[in-house]
Structures are given as structure tokens and as C-alpha cells.
Amino acid sequence: MVSLYLEHNKSQFEKAELKQKFSTILEQHFSFFELALGGGVWFEPMRVFQDTQYFGPYVYRDNKRILFKRELSGEQYDYHSQDWYQLGIQAAENAFPVVWTHPYVDEGGSLASIMTVDAPIILTNSDMIGMATVDWSLAALTAFLETVKITDNSSPRLIHKASNRIISFPLKSELVMQTTPDEVWVKPMYRGSSNTKFNTFKSLEINGKLYDLYFLETKSGFILGFFSPHKDIDKEVRAVSQVTLLGGATIGITFIVLIIFIMKHLFKPFDLVLSQIKGSIKHTDNEKVTVENIVYDEQNEFTPIITELNFVYQQVNTHIAEINQANTELTKTQSELVKLNIDLELKVKTRTDELSYKTEEALKALSELQTIQKN
């Protein structure tokens, strides 16, 4: 998505053409995620076109078809003011790569109860240009959870901790999408939930029957639990651990794969360029640094950067050569000075020896003259 945005900044596509390009990419991505209800890319005002406040390409699933929806990029829906978008902005401000929204009704699309995963789109200069989102149907999630049982008669319960909303609760379906009630089983979950092991709360009475509650808190901010009839536990102890761990692992792996896929696609071009830049800087055995031109055959938004960087490398290499030449000449000059100093010392010694000899000769002649005078 970032690559297409940067390509648009360079090539200035027409609106219809750019929408089609985004639509094609989104359709390709969501064809792999059958559990996703839809998703899109939502840009900040005036970031794509200076005269366009809303630009949010969005696709949704209609049975097995992936369809492009145009009506959400307008003042009527005003996606910038939607709670899910504002939550994504807060995530970007707090340097969170992704965030789950509170459960809500999709009034702008499917009219289904959904939760949205927001992934702020951040440029390399830390500027947020918009949001990538994936919508998950709560009905599909609930249907999936109801297939997971730790005993034959167990019933799941899923709570979104940040919004305090019940996502799934077959034993009391009237509480779905409501805030957690003031009942005996609620407080222990919030007080004792852990994302490393299942917690237990024994002998809870619901609808006139006794249940044991098993629950844990996922890393995504959910409290997943199972109400199991008290009489089932003795005969299903081993099945409890296996089935619940399988359900938690499936949900966790699905979330992780989705996040990894989005982040890998967003940062793949930048990682390639960064790797080539690192490879162009080398350290020799004598602790000298050398730089080599970067060979980059792609024609995209990074091409001008690589061209300018190669120009800088040429200047650096030129300066290094000049410094090496200056060092060579300095070494040569130092050798000549050492030789001159040696020659000068020899000349001074020779002159000193000659002066001493002549002085001795003069003193000897004077002594002889004085002797002659006395005689």
C-alpha cells in the first residue's frame, strides 16, 4: 500500500485509475482471508489528492465474491470521525502497530456486528498517512467458538476487555453486545485472568445449574472462557486442556498471520533498499571504511534516492583518495626532513671537530711562541 501511495506521488494517477489499483490489491489480499468480512485503506484528508478529503478504497465479502465499495469515501459516512479510525490514530500516537476496535455495528457497509483491526500506515519519516483495516464478523467468530468445546456440554464465553463487552455467551444470549453484568463470575475473570495459563472458578450457578468456569486472557485483549457443567469435569479432564488450547491457538495464529502478512507487504520494498545500502558500506582489515555504488535496477519511488546516494558515495571516495594522497606526500616530506636533520648534524659535528683542531693548533703555536720569547 505504501509503495502504491509513493508511486502515485511520483506519477500522479487519475482518481479512477488509483482506485482501481487499490481495489485490485485489496481483492487479491482478501481472497486469502475467508473469515474476514472486508477491509480497506483509509487515507488522511488531502493526502492522496489535494482536492479530496475522503479517499478510502474498501472491499467486502458477498458470499464468495469480493466486491469494491465506493460509497464509504464521502462526507455522508465521514470515516475520519468514526470511532474505529480515531482509535487507530491513538494507536499510531502510542507507537502500536495494530489495535482492535470495540465491537460495533457496521452502519456504512454490511450492517453486521463486527470488530476492526487497525494498522496505522506510517512512512519512514514517522508521518501517518492513513489506516489499513480488516473487519471481522462477530457472528462468524461466535459461530466458530460454539464449535469449540472442552466437554460435551460446555459453552463458550468471549469478552472484549477494553470495551467491557460480551462478544459471545450462548448460555445467556441476551447479554451479547452488552457490557458485562454484575454477576458472581465477572469479577474473578478481570482480577485473575492470565495469558499464560487457564484460570478456574468452581461451582457457579447459571440458569439453575452448576458450572465450572475456565478462562484466560489472550494477548489481543480478549477474555476467553468456557462454562462446563460441573458433572462433566471428572470424565473430561484431558479433553479440557486439548480442545481449549486448540481453540486459543487457532485464534491466536489467525491474528498473528494476518498482522505478519500486512506488515511484511508494507515494509518489503523498504527492507530491500535498506539491505542494499548496508551492503554498500564495507570495513577493510586495516579498519578503513569503503563505499561502493549501489546497483538498483528497479524503477520506483526509491530510484531517485539511490541515485543521489551513489553521487554522495562518489564524493566520499574522491575525498578519501585526496586524503590518502595527502598522507603519502606528508610521509615523504617527513622522511626528507629526517634526512636533512641527519645531514645537518653531520655538518655541525665536522665543523666542530675542525674548530677544535684549529684551536688546539693555535694554542700550541702560542705556547711555542711564549717559550721562544722567554729564551
Side-chain angles (χ1 to χ4, degrees), residues 24 81 172 204 331 352:
T24 300
S81 64
K172 288 191 175 184
L204 294 170
T331 301
T352 302

Side-chain angles (χ1 to χ4, degrees), residues 208-258:
K209 297 181 179 180
L210 288 179
Y211 291 86
D212 292 331
L213 172 60
Y214 297 83
F215 60 94
L216 59 77
E217 181 177 346
T218 71
K219 294 182 179 180
S220 302
F222 295 90
I223 299 178
L224 174 64
F226 293 88
F227 287 95
S228 179
H230 191 67
K231 62 181 180 180
D232 287 358
I233 299 303
D234 292 339
K235 63 180 180 180
E236 300 273 354
V237 172
R238 293 184 179 180
V240 169
S241 299
Q242 294 177 351
V243 176
T244 52
L245 288 176
L246 177 62
T250 301
I251 296 174
I253 292 173
T254 301
F255 295 161
I256 292 172
V257 169
L258 175 63

Side-chain angles (χ1 to χ4, degrees), residues 240-305:
V240 169
S241 299
Q242 294 177 351
V243 176
T244 52
L245 288 176
L246 177 62
T250 301
I251 296 174
I253 292 173
T254 301
F255 295 161
I256 292 172
V257 169
L258 175 63
I259 294 171
I260 291 175
F261 181 83
I262 293 175
M263 299 304 293
K264 183 177 180 180
H265 179 76
L266 291 177
F267 289 100
K268 182 178 179 180
F270 178 76
D271 290 340
L272 176 60
V273 171
L274 184 59
S275 176
Q276 289 184 295
I277 292 175
K278 289 182 178 179
S280 67
I281 302 175
K282 302 182 181 300
H283 297 267
T284 61
D285 294 337
N286 54 2
E287 298 184 354
K288 290 184 178 180
V289 178
T290 62
V291 291
E292 299 177 355
N293 281 0
I294 301 172
V295 179
Y296 190 72
D297 298 329
E298 301 291 335
Q299 294 296 323
N300 53 29
E301 61 274 11
F302 293 107
T303 302
I305 299 175

Side-chain angles (χ1 to χ4, degrees), residues 140-156:
L141 183 59
T142 298
F144 168 76
L145 287 175
E146 290 181 353
T147 65
V148 180
K149 294 181 177 294
I150 60 174
T151 65
D152 292 339
N153 300 302
S154 66
S155 180

